[in-house]
Amino acid sequence: MSGLVTVVGIGADGWAGLSPVARREIGAAEVLMGGARQLALVPDTGAERVTWPSPMLPAVEGLLAERAHQAVCVLASGDPMFYGVGTTLVRLLGADRVRVLPHPSSVSLACARMGWPVEQTAVVSLVGRPVESLHPFVRGRVVVLSADAATPGRVAALLVARGYGASVMTVLQQLGGPGERQMSSTAGRWEAEVTEIDPLNVVAVECRPDPGVPALPSVPGLPDEAFEHDGQLTKREVRAVTLSRLAPVPGELLWDVGAGAGSVAIEWMRAHPACRAVAVESRAERAARIGRNAAALGVPGLRVVHGTAPEALTGLEPPGAVFVGGGATVQGTVEACWEALRPGGRLVMNAVTLESESVVAAWHGKVGGDLVRIAVDRAAPVGGFTAWRPAMPVLVWTAVRR
């Protein structure tokens, strides 16, 4: 393919809201591509019109290749680089072959209507994503990009189930267009008070917990009670240290081997929306539990592999970090994890038993790294008094693949 593809963002105000430069690009195009709604917003220029098929992504490259020597203009909703087709085209063609003319995004318009600072407002897209993706952002102010007219109701139901029924929701519909309107209610009264929502909407949420509902922070170290588990769980204080050693980086993949309840993989993914993880667990009931925990804590994209390491690791994408929480004494597991690591990748292993500590000692002697022993005491009643009850100490080994 050759040639430059121009991407023009367009709002609900259509042709009237476009800049002169954007209008000229559309008028000069030999081919106009976009969704049916965007194409309907511009007048007939004599150009060929190509409506995106469904699903769109598998067809994009072929459609562009067929028109490689024509002037192609792609119409996109709002800002094409904000959850938009512009990002896809840059990934396929390279930044030097894509020119983007953005329109104000729906988030910018929503924050302008609400009087919210954009930089202080969280944004979650539920377009093609499960509503559980909202969980990590249920605090403060958040703008939700809706998939359809049913999205606000799903958001309200999630908030109520989470104990945030007092949250104020405002649905902003047809933003920037002549049919723009707003509807507001609390999440708890949404079903009773709100009807007839336009499919083109975003939801502005002021999150307010009901009395007594605990907050779930974004920093590592969620309460143990936040996870469904059978006792096979990296405890809160140790988990916080473990995550600090794994050092989540946006876009990197974690292998959580012997995942138990999946707590480390889940908190890795909660660290940044671009963080990815695979949880490997040999027991079926625990693997199913990991999936439930991931959905409940806002990372439904966590991949769960039911199988035993090292065999279950075969064919997985090479990771940027590995946590070995269980199965360290199984022959070949640590070797497979170490060999799979990308250069600069981190391997963290927690050992509690003498047998797993001996594995750590052998590997520390072979590749070096850092050793830390964590001992945690918790206050507990003893008769009418309070005393310290020690938890089992945990040896944490961290090594970087050079």
Side-chain angles (χ1 to χ4, degrees), residues 324 349-353 355-358 360 373 393-397:
V324 181
M349 190 165 84
N350 291 357
V352 176
T353 66
E355 290 78 7
S356 58
E357 284 192 355
S358 69
V360 166
R373 186 182 293 278
V394 179
L395 176 63
V396 181
W397 172 55

Side-chain angles (χ1 to χ4, degrees), residues 36-118:
R37 183 170 60 84
Q38 284 77 39
L39 290 171
L41 292 172
V42 301
D44 184 8
T45 62
E48 176 192 2
R49 293 190 171 217
V50 179
T51 303
W52 294 129
S54 182
M56 182 192 82
L57 289 179
V60 170
E61 195 166 8
L63 290 173
L64 291 173
E66 292 171 5
R67 297 158 179 84
H69 301 290
Q70 294 177 277
V72 176
C73 178
V74 174
L75 298 180
S77 179
D79 183 349
M81 300 302 293
F82 187 75
Y83 290 103
V85 71
T87 305
T88 301
L89 295 178
V90 169
R91 185 175 67 248
L92 289 175
L93 306 178
D96 59 333
R97 299 213 9 238
V98 181
R99 182 190 183 201
V100 179
L101 301 177
H103 188 273
S105 70
S106 57
V107 172
S108 294
L109 293 173
C111 287
R113 304 297 188 266
M114 300 298 295
W116 294 355
V118 178

